[in-house]
Amino acid sequence: MRQARRMAGRLGTPLALLAAAVLPMACGYSDEPLHRTSVRSVYVEMFQSREFRRGIEFQLTEAVRKQIDRATPYRNAPRERADTILSGEVLEWREDTIGRDFITDRPRETAASLAVRFRWQDMRTGKILAEQDRLVTTVQYVRLAGEDTYNARDEAAAKLARRLVEAMETAW
């Protein structure tokens, strides 16, 4: 309260009262690390797939491994030496036409969605560190601009890998 009075003298009563009301609510900051310090290595299993279209599980597995290297302090390790294992399954790859060419009636723009489930488990304790039954991302691509399904799957895999690795961060 003493600080609020000092601020009132310097900044004026309305601003000081606003600061006194807002400062105690400014929570959500932490000095804890974003990633678990007890984990040093991750083995990323090849994602399984329920999809008829093959190949996306390879793209996704590679994207997740790269994202772990890029955005975490963890290192990718062989299964027998890893502290943790990340496993998952491609649940669905879906494409829907957003717009059609008026002359040829061919798809102009397409939206594609990729849905997966994953589990991150500590192999030393058996504890589940992170898990989601359905994680979905959507991308758009334009066929007339030379973009195709492979490009869309690659972009979706990279986007989903970022989200999956974010889910590996510790909760605040």
Side-chain angles (χ1 to χ4, degrees), residues 1 8 69 92 124 129 131 140 153 155 165:
M1 194 67 177
D69 282 341
E92 181 180 28
R124 301 162 297 183
L129 302 174
E131 182 175 37
Q140 295 179 357
R153 288 179 4 183
E155 182 182 346
V165 169

Side-chain angles (χ1 to χ4, degrees), residues 54-70:
R54 295 291 175 209
I56 195 161
E57 65 271 21
F58 297 106
Q59 288 173 289
L60 180 59
T61 301
E62 187 61 26
V64 169
R65 287 177 179 154
K66 286 180 181 178
Q67 189 63 25
I68 287 171
D69 282 341
R70 191 176 305 129

